[in-house]
Amino acid sequence: MTTAPISSTPRKRSRHVRIALLGAAAFSLAACRDDEVPSAAFPTLDACLEAAAGPGTWVTEESCEQGFGEALEAHVETAPRYDEQALCEAEHDGECVAEERPGGGGSVFLPLMAGYLLGNMLGGRGAMAQPFYGRSSGGFATPGGTVLNNARGSTTLSQNAFKAGPVTRSAAPMTRATVNRTGGFGAARTGTGLRGFGG
């Protein structure tokens, strides 16, 4: 009388389990990569248009102009706002401008855009963009929390890098106490290094 080896079934089962787990892990990694889009930072619209004229880039004149328009719209709604000009200038290491509060009640101060972050939406859905501002600790940040090392460069970023920041237009402006408590604009956020354009 012959008996089948007892160990053959568990081995086959564990091999199938390993293969299934490896397949699931590979699928998860692919899904993360699928969420990433070609991205580039530009200090000005002209810098973007100059890059669009170069060879071998996904950036086009249309995406530059569309992205710049989107960044300006986001700037109006989500730019960091402060109750003092000196505080704004210290936080952003640059010039700040006054803006009347909605409904009167004095002025708030917001930094000028240092540039904009442009992403190439997949599936021919156009560009997406966010403004970015200088930080007192160095580098730049978008209102949505993406921190950049440089104002110009290209890389691949998650689509989450283009999420809108909180609306600040009608919110109370940041004070020195707020800045001290939170660490200031762009603090404790995830950094993103951008390579030189085309690099």
Side-chain angles (χ1 to χ4, degrees):
M1 176 166 126
T2 15
T3 54
I6 297 173
S7 58
S8 66
T9 305
R11 273 194 202 138
K12 283 183 183 175
R13 189 177 302 135
S14 74
R15 189 176 348 166
H16 288 306
V17 170
R18 273 200 309 271
I19 289 169
L21 289 174
L22 286 172
F27 181 76
S28 298
L29 290 173
C32 289
R33 281 201 223 52
D34 287 346
D35 185 44
E36 293 184 342
V37 295
S39 306
F42 300 101
T44 62
L45 173 58
D46 285 344
C48 186
L49 293 172
E50 184 183 321
T57 177
W58 60 268
V59 179
T60 64
E61 286 187 16
E62 183 183 2
S63 66
C64 286
E65 289 167 357
Q66 178 190 338
F68 186 69
E70 283 184 18
L72 283 177
E73 286 178 17
H75 169 73
V76 169
E77 297 297 323
T78 64
R81 288 168 162 85
Y82 301 86
D83 67 344
E84 298 175 33
Q85 184 169 357
L87 176 60
C88 179
E89 289 173 350
E91 279 299 292
H92 297 281
D93 200 26
E95 186 179 353
C96 291
V97 295
E99 172 187 84
E100 287 299 312
R101 291 185 187 180
S107 296
V108 294
F109 301 90
L110 57 154
L112 298 176
M113 277 173 46
Y116 66 110
L117 182 62
L118 183 66
N120 185 22
M121 285 289 281
L122 302 175
R125 290 178 287 164
M128 52 188 169
Q130 282 294 312
F132 60 79
Y133 308 91
R135 301 187 311 152
S136 59
S137 57
F140 306 89
T142 68
T146 301
V147 175
L148 310 172
N149 296 329
N150 305 300
R152 184 192 298 255
S154 66
T155 191
T156 304
L157 295 174
S158 163
Q159 291 185 40
N160 288 335
F162 297 89
K163 69 180 178 184
V167 174
T168 60
R169 193 174 190 187
S170 55
M174 286 188 275
T175 64
R176 288 189 186 277
T178 307
V179 168
N180 290 337
R181 187 174 65 251
T182 63
F185 177 75
R189 300 184 181 193
T190 305
T192 302
L194 285 172
R195 303 186 298 273
F197 190 83

